[in-house]
Amino acid sequence: MATTELYAHSLNDASALEVKEAREGDLVRRGLVLLAPAGYHLSVVRNGRGDVVAHLDLLPLDTRHRPAADVLFKSAAEVFGDKTLAVVMTGMGDDGTQGAAWIKAKGGQVFVEAEETCIVYGMPRSVMEAGLCDKSVPLGKLAAAILEAL
């Protein structure tokens, strides 16, 4: 079992939501959390029936990380437009900032984890400094903030 699959199982055991490692074609639905498998970008696309499903890919190759938040965020902005809500949490670097710009350009919202609860404030800081953040929220209050925004 891959590390990300074990992580998904652990999160599933601790969460009221269903959490699983994404597989190609998984239906995106309310109450389901999909984690990108190690080494693959996760994006969302509409299939031939109009359903929103998970798509896994090695492309693009020009990202520093795989999976990359930028890839997921861009696809979400394209599929969901102004209904998109992204959350950028603790992490190094600036992954998520370009994707946040796509989301904002389509009228969506972007929340970041507040500095005081981040282990590494790099990714949220990058989004904040780019002026792309709608709300900065401590980790313990993120779920409530997301539900309030929906």
Side-chain angles (χ1 to χ4, degrees):
M1 192 175 295
T3 303
T4 49
E5 190 173 8
L6 289 171
Y7 182 53
H9 282 286
S10 176
L11 289 174
N12 186 62
D13 291 343
S15 174
L17 300 173
E18 180 184 355
V19 181
K20 63 178 261 184
E21 184 180 62
R23 302 274 188 250
E24 181 68 29
D26 279 345
L27 186 65
V28 174
R29 60 177 169 77
R30 182 182 304 269
L32 175 64
V33 177
L34 296 173
L35 297 183
Y40 288 89
H41 292 301
L42 171 62
S43 59
V44 292
V45 297
R46 290 205 184 270
N47 66 14
R49 294 182 305 274
D51 298 321
V52 179
V53 297
H55 174 63
L56 304 175
D57 208 325
L58 295 174
L59 300 175
L61 297 174
D62 62 349
T63 62
R64 280 188 276 167
H65 311 285
R66 193 182 313 126
D70 284 329
V71 173
L72 176 61
F73 288 1
K74 181 179 179 188
S75 72
E78 290 172 350
V79 170
F80 297 113
D82 65 355
K83 305 283 189 269
T84 307
L85 170 61
V87 180
V88 179
M89 298 171 66
T90 189
M92 280 195 238
D94 63 358
D95 185 27
T97 303
Q98 288 180 348
W102 276 92
I103 290 168
K104 296 300 295 172
K106 296 287 188 174
Q109 296 181 74
V110 180
F111 293 176
V112 299
E113 181 181 352
E115 182 175 10
E116 65 265 19
T117 59
C118 282
I119 295 169
V120 179
Y121 189 56
M123 289 169 61
R125 173 184 286 138
S126 179
V127 172
M128 287 284 290
E129 289 177 352
L132 300 168
C133 174
D134 293 291
K135 191 179 277 192
S136 177
V137 185
L139 181 61
K141 296 182 179 183
L142 264 172
I146 292 166
L147 289 173
E148 184 180 306
L150 298 178

